[in-house]
């Protein structure tokens, strides 16, 4: 299944974005990522997207490692870092979708 991951990092720091991308690749090496850009509705935040082709077992494993409390169904879910445990402390928001 083709999947998409939207990531918002809470600082405008490309070095942090690269660390976050590396951590995602450590969890699942199938991801490719877009360049980061300023997040238009949040001050001092960067966002980027990732995509991969994963099977259902890989998806379940990835989701459990990225965050401990997703909102929504597995095919379209999101999580905020201010009230959940993210895989990296500078990740503010995640949205995961099966395309």
């Amino acid at each position: 299944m083709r999947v998409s991951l939207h990531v918002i990092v809470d600082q405008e720091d490309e070095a942090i974005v690269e660390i976050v991308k590396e951590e995602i690749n450590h969890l699942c090496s199938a991801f490719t990522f877009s360049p980061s850009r300023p997040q238009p509705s949040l001050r001092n935040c960067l966002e980027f997207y990732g995509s991969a082709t994963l099977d259902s077992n890989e998806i379940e494993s990835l989701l459990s490692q990225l965050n401990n409390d997703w909102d929504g169904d597995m095919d379209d879910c999101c999580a905020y870092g201010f009230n959940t445990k993210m895989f990296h402390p500078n990740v503010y928001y995640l949205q995961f979708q099966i395309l």
Side-chain angles (χ1 to χ4, degrees):
M1 292 174 266
R2 195 76 181 150
V3 301
S4 172
L5 182 65
H6 179 205
V7 181
I8 298 177
V9 175
D10 68 1
Q11 294 184 33
E12 282 192 82
D13 186 335
E14 287 293 338
I16 292 173
V17 168
E18 289 307 310
I19 291 168
V20 169
K21 288 178 179 181
E22 288 173 13
E23 287 193 27
I24 294 169
N25 268 329
H26 179 72
L27 299 173
C28 180
S29 62
F31 273 93
T32 58
F33 299 105
S34 71
S36 64
R37 65 180 184 186
Q39 207 294 326
S41 62
L42 295 170
R43 189 172 184 193
N44 298 322
C45 292
L46 293 176
E47 68 179 352
F48 65 90
Y49 292 84
S51 62
T53 300
L54 306 174
D55 65 32
S56 58
N57 291 333
E58 292 170 317
I59 291 169
E60 287 181 33
S61 174
L62 177 66
L63 290 177
S64 69
Q65 294 177 79
L66 290 175
N67 189 271
N68 70 328
D69 188 22
W70 290 91
D71 289 329
D73 296 323
M74 185 171 75
D75 64 332
D76 188 5
C77 53
C78 64
Y80 286 90
F82 62 85
N83 63 350
T84 64
K85 185 178 178 199
M86 287 288 184
F87 71 101
H88 188 279
N90 290 106
V91 175
Y92 171 77
Y93 174 81
L94 294 172
Q95 180 181 25
F96 180 87
Q97 293 179 309
I98 297 175
L99 304 174

